[in-house]
């Protein structure tokens, strides 16, 4: 994930209340229009960026439910 993508996602995160979320919800409009391969790639890139500490304030909970992997936003 490049810095522009991360910055765009961080802007969206900063408008959210702290708590758990799914990547498609954070990605926003356009997610449903992506091809499945592009969804998988974007989701994996986000997960790797979170695990590498590139997405400040977000942690991977290690759980999957309904809409996929569950992340936690600390609010800062």
């Amino acid at each position: 994930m490049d810095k522009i993508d991360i910055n765009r996602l961080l802007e969206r995160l900063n408008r959210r209340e702290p708590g758990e979320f799914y990547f498609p919800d954070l990605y926003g409009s356009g997610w449903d229009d992506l091809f499945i391969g592009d969804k998988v790639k974007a989701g994996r890139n986000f997960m790797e960026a979170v695990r590498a500490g590139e997405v400040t304030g977000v942690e991977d909970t290690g759980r999957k439910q309904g809409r996929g992997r569950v992340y936690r936003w600390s609010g800062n």
Side-chain angles (χ1 to χ4, degrees), residues 1 23 39-49 51 71:
M1 209 159 246
F23 178 65
K39 289 178 181 180
V40 170
K41 183 178 177 183
R44 180 156 186 87
N45 287 343
F46 182 73
M47 178 187 70
E48 290 173 351
R51 289 181 176 177
Y71 295 95

Side-chain angles (χ1 to χ4, degrees), residues 5-70:
D5 290 334
I6 291 173
N7 288 337
R8 180 177 58 89
L9 294 172
L10 285 173
E11 287 175 15
R12 289 183 179 173
L13 277 169
N14 284 316
R15 293 190 299 260
R16 296 179 66 99
E17 292 293 321
E20 294 184 345
F21 69 93
Y22 298 102
F23 178 65
D25 297 332
L26 181 62
Y27 186 93
S29 65
W31 177 257
D32 292 331
D33 297 330
L34 294 176
F35 292 107
I36 187 65
D38 293 333
K39 289 178 181 180
V40 170
K41 183 178 177 183
R44 180 156 186 87
N45 287 343
F46 182 73
M47 178 187 70
E48 290 173 351
V50 167
R51 289 181 176 177
E54 296 173 16
V55 187
T56 307
V58 175
E59 70 173 306
D60 179 1
T61 66
R63 296 188 343 258
K64 286 187 176 181
Q65 292 178 330
R67 290 186 43 94
R69 185 166 298 279
V70 180

